[in-house]
Amino acid sequence: MTQTITVIRGDGIGPEIMDATLHVLDAMNLGLRYEEADAGLAALEKHGELLPAQTLESIARNRIALKSPLTTPVGEGFSSINVALRRHFDLYANVRPAKSFPNTRSRFPSGVDLITVRENTEGAYIGEGQTLSEDGETASLIQRITRKGSERIVRYAFDLARRTGRKKVTVVHKANILKTTSGLFLKVAREVAALYPEIECNEMIVDNTCMQLVMRPEQFDIIVTTNLFGDIISDLCAGLVGGLGLAPGANIGTEAAIFEAVHGTAPDIAGQGKANPCALLLGAAQMLDHLARPEEAARLRDAVVATLEAKDALTPDLGGSGTTTTFAQAIASRL
Ligand code: ATP
């Protein structure tokens, strides 16, 4: 079966890590067809806009995109292209796995294997009610939590647990202080959890969660939380397993899903062949899971892990002297 995916090569190190990722995917003979589309600076130069209509049409048609990091130039009408994509396709679930890998700078070499499921559309990020008083002394914004938004993200987390055989979902909140917003999220989460009796559910206040993550990360399996807490916690988790070079992420909605590396465009090393392609490769593995191809996703992850274990052609950020290309070739050779 041929599956067409939209491929966005992006800016900075984006094209290099995308070439590496497609090289590895090609070695797997997955029957994927790539439809290239532009976004970010590359699109601005070619089409005169950061997020061209044909890119949105391509994602809408294929429903799946693999995306490299993008540059949003200051003062071009978007606060962030990534946020614009999330809004356009209502990509409500931000899913970020954090797993310890061999020969990386993980603080916990064998202990971390968790997924953060962050609500991606509500809370403090709705962009409403941002005011600053004339004297510059008082600022405010609106945080909005809805039953619908809470229900669909918590359901996503429990369905993910069911699908992947994970055993526990931790609902992270601050309902003791944010009684209305976080309170509603927690109330709805409890109702949803009751529908999944085979999956353990516990609740944890966000500040305690941060401490627990750093002290005993192995107690977590799936974390589900609201937008701002999820933003912070998912980067904390990336730090637990060795930094952003190994952290993939997915933005998932009912009509489309976009898979990516969590890191940015790394302009300091762009064009030098030094970029580590692992995060985007692991994003591609998430994409295969989403396409209901879990064996192939596992095959890809196993090849990445075996290459890290063998210290074969690792890029400089991992302490090696390989290049983006030779590292990708070493991974592909294990498939
Ligand atoms: P942006 O403005 O797009 O967010 P940035 O450089 O501020 O870019 P990141 O791209 O996340 O932020 O990079 C932070 C640091 O991590 C940089 O020093 C960068 O070189 C390094 N880095 C990020 N991604 C990678 C990668 N895939 N391989 C190697 N180093 C990376």
Side-chain angles (χ1 to χ4, degrees):
M1 184 196 71
T2 303
Q3 165 86 45
T4 305
I5 59 171
T6 299
V7 163
I8 301 174
R9 296 165 63 78
D11 302 311
I13 59 170
E16 299 163 65
I17 59 172
M18 185 59 82
D19 282 345
T21 299
L22 299 186
H23 173 76
V24 174
L25 291 179
D26 285 344
M28 296 180 74
N29 286 322
L30 297 166
L32 295 177
R33 224 187 111 250
Y34 311 127
E35 187 172 287
E36 294 230 0
D38 297 309
L41 264 192
L44 189 65
E45 279 157 19
K46 238 168 143 180
H47 311 279
E49 49 184 337
L50 289 165
L51 194 50
Q54 57 263 45
T55 298
L56 296 173
E57 283 156 21
S58 171
I59 298 171
R61 193 167 47 246
N62 299 322
R63 301 166 69 100
I64 300 284
L66 186 62
K67 181 182 77 56
S68 273
L70 305 173
T71 301
T72 305
V74 177
E76 290 288 343
F78 285 117
S79 55
S80 148
I81 307 167
N82 290 326
V83 171
L85 281 169
R86 285 174 199 173
R87 290 226 171 104
H88 185 87
F89 291 108
D90 192 25
L91 305 175
Y92 67 91
N94 183 260
V95 183
R96 301 234 324 228
K99 188 169 166 36
S100 317
F101 289 109
N103 293 324
T104 60
R105 284 173 302 151
S106 172
R107 305 279 184 278
F108 305 88
S110 59
V112 183
D113 180 9
L114 61 88
I115 302 177
T116 307
V117 176
R118 162 190 171 193
E119 203 291 321
N120 223 2
T121 62
E122 300 197 327
Y125 290 67
I126 57 172
E128 288 179 33
Q130 301 226 38
T131 59
L132 182 63
S133 63
E134 264 176 33
D135 61 7
E137 298 290 319
T138 309
S140 52
L141 60 72
I142 293 174
Q143 285 201 37
R144 183 175 299 120
I145 298 289
T146 67
R147 168 172 282 280
K148 177 177 165 243
S150 304
E151 193 177 320
R152 68 180 178 173
I153 196 68
V154 179
R155 272 184 186 275
Y156 185 92
F158 277 91
D159 286 338
L160 179 67
R162 219 174 232 178
R163 216 168 45 243
T164 55
R166 287 181 181 260
K167 304 274 183 288
K168 183 162 110 180
V169 173
T170 302
V171 177
V172 173
H173 65 93
K174 186 77 187 175
N176 53 331
I177 305 292
L178 307 173
K179 290 187 194 300
T180 53
T181 48
S182 218
L184 176 60
F185 179 75
L186 181 60
K187 177 171 185 286
V188 174
R190 285 176 180 162
E191 291 167 15
V192 172
L195 306 173
Y196 298 79
E198 79 282 16
I199 296 164
E200 185 189 342
C201 176
N202 69 335
E203 300 165 7
M204 205 178 275
I205 294 177
V206 62
D207 36 358
N208 183 32
T209 306
C210 291
M211 184 184 71
Q212 295 293 335
L213 274 167
V214 173
M215 296 192 64
R216 284 201 313 118
E218 65 283 356
Q219 70 185 286
F220 295 94
D221 198 350
I222 290 181
I223 290 173
V224 64
T225 190
T226 45
N227 206 341
L228 177 59
F229 299 157
D231 191 5
I232 297 164
I233 283 177
S234 53
D235 265 27
L236 190 159
C237 292
L240 293 179
V241 298
L244 294 177
L246 294 159
N251 293 288
I252 295 175
T254 50
E255 303 302 319
I258 301 180
F259 299 84
E260 62 190 4
V262 165
H263 60 73
T265 56
D268 52 335
I269 56 165
Q272 300 174 26
K274 289 183 185 166
N276 175 359
C278 279
L280 190 60
L281 273 165
L282 295 169
Q286 265 188 291
M287 177 181 81
L288 293 173
D289 273 329
H290 185 78
L291 291 170
R293 302 173 76 165
E295 289 88 13
E296 284 150 333
R299 217 175 123 217
L300 175 52
R301 284 191 191 99
D302 289 348
V304 172
V305 170
T307 311
L308 291 168
E309 227 152 21
K311 295 194 178 179
D312 194 357
L314 302 186
T315 43
D317 60 305
L318 298 173
S321 54
T323 66
T324 311
T325 309
T326 56
F327 191 22
Q329 285 165 345
I331 294 168
S333 71
R334 289 185 162 78
L335 285 159

